[in-house]
Amino acid sequence: MKESKETILISLLKKAKEGDVQSIARAITLVENDTETAWQVLQNQSLSHTPIIGITGPPGVGKSTLTDGLIGEAVSKGLSVAVLCVDPSSPFHFGAVLGDRIRMNEWFTHPKVFIRSLGSRGALGGLNPNIIEITDLLKIAPFQLILIETVGVGQSEVEIAGLADKTIIVLSPEGGDDIQAMKSGIMEVADILVVNKADRPGIELFVKHLRQMMAPAFFKNKKEIPIFQTVGTTRSGLNQLFDACMADSMESTERKARLLAEKAFYMIRRERVKNISSETFYTQIFKEIKEGHFNLYRFIQTYI
């Protein structure tokens, strides 16, 4: 008798709790491709309070190098760490275009490190559509830290704040224009700011302007955001950054509720629109235009 997907996932999670890497990998694949089964199983699972650190920022600032360095800090302290790297997707098979085993090859076979590349699968926010379920799955496994590196496109800074316990936004001294474009998003979501490539010219002036821009006086009820200077390639400054990431934030009930509300909103919205596509709209609209009775607002109303 063929096992159901639910039975298979439960079996995989039992092995995942024991740290079986192959079972963790297979469970992620199943969850990534079958949300309904994931929800059915995760409803009855006890999740740990493993800290989740989100790492995001504009392309080219050294997010992957910084992530690699944070893995090193975690391992040096005896921690086991899971890393999810969300990359651009192939338009053909929706898999990750960039393989992080190339960028983080030092940790590929390390017994305390699990690295998984995920495709963004066209998600506008730069995160994999099933990132919440996959992250909760990792909380069942015996990891002591979860790192999530995003593809770094626009809304990823905002979306990852609804997922991570702490959000690191990475910038570089050459990124003045990027800062202007991201200003409002940074203020809403950043828990820690990192200026990477701090050995480049102009770093002092850049950090000075960044501190002025992030001054809490300009933003109601916003505490000062710490700014760290790092050099990912030499791992300079990473020890202090790691300690800040792991420090207890004494998260309030209000913040926890807000975090969960963002997760719930994201997941419900995703499920509501999963059977709707622009191609479906096109077919119906094309038909109505030919028949001479198309009205945009009437058309939208049928879907609301």
Side-chain angles (χ1 to χ4, degrees), residues 28-262:
I28 289 176
T29 300
L30 200 158
V31 168
E32 193 175 15
N33 295 313
D34 191 342
T35 305
E36 186 176 345
T37 298
W39 284 19
Q40 290 171 351
V41 173
L42 288 171
Q43 286 180 53
N44 302 309
Q45 295 292 323
S46 177
L47 304 180
S48 69
H49 298 289
T50 308
I52 302 171
I53 307 301
I55 303 167
T56 188
V61 296
K63 294 188 296 294
S64 295
T65 305
L66 194 73
T67 302
D68 180 78
L70 289 175
I71 295 171
E73 290 296 320
V75 170
S76 70
K77 292 173 172 58
L79 301 180
S80 58
V81 55
V83 187
L84 295 177
C85 300
V86 187
D87 289 319
S89 292
S90 163
F92 304 106
H93 53 69
F94 294 107
V97 171
L98 303 176
D100 293 287
R101 288 160 181 77
I102 297 173
R103 294 182 285 179
M104 302 173 187
N105 56 6
E106 180 182 350
W107 311 112
F108 180 40
T109 57
H110 198 285
K112 283 189 171 292
V113 181
F114 174 83
I115 299 176
R116 176 68 175 247
S117 294
L118 300 172
S120 59
R121 298 196 171 195
L124 294 178
L127 294 176
N128 182 280
N130 301 102
I131 191 73
I132 293 174
E133 291 90 340
I134 293 171
T135 306
D136 283 343
L137 185 155
L138 290 174
K139 284 187 173 184
I140 295 171
F143 296 115
Q144 295 163 291
L145 175 64
I146 299 172
L147 299 176
I148 301 175
E149 179 204 335
T150 78
V151 69
V153 288
Q155 283 298 110
S156 64
E157 293 81 18
V158 177
E159 284 198 359
I160 200 168
L163 173 66
D165 298 306
K166 288 186 180 178
T167 301
I168 299 174
I169 293 187
V170 188
L171 303 167
S172 68
E174 300 95 338
D177 292 338
D178 289 325
I179 290 179
Q180 293 302 317
M182 294 170 60
K183 186 183 296 184
S184 60
I186 288 176
M187 286 312 306
E188 292 300 322
V189 307
D191 295 302
I192 297 173
L193 282 175
V194 172
V195 180
N196 196 31
K197 304 180 183 180
D199 53 346
R200 300 287 177 87
I203 181 66
E204 294 84 3
L205 185 61
F206 179 84
V207 172
K208 179 182 178 181
H209 288 165
L210 189 59
R211 290 191 190 281
Q212 291 173 344
M213 190 189 83
M214 305 300 283
F218 293 105
F219 299 89
K220 187 178 179 181
N221 300 325
K222 186 69 178 181
K223 65 180 180 180
E224 185 176 358
I225 299 172
I227 301 174
F228 291 88
Q229 299 180 38
T230 63
V231 182
T233 52
T234 63
R235 299 190 177 177
S236 172
L238 287 183
N239 188 35
Q240 297 90 330
L241 173 61
F242 184 82
D243 289 343
C245 290
M246 298 301 290
D248 291 334
S249 59
M250 298 299 289
E251 195 174 66
S252 67
T253 302
E254 180 182 357
R255 176 174 164 82
K256 287 180 181 177
R258 177 63 62 186
L259 187 69
L260 290 170
E262 289 297 324

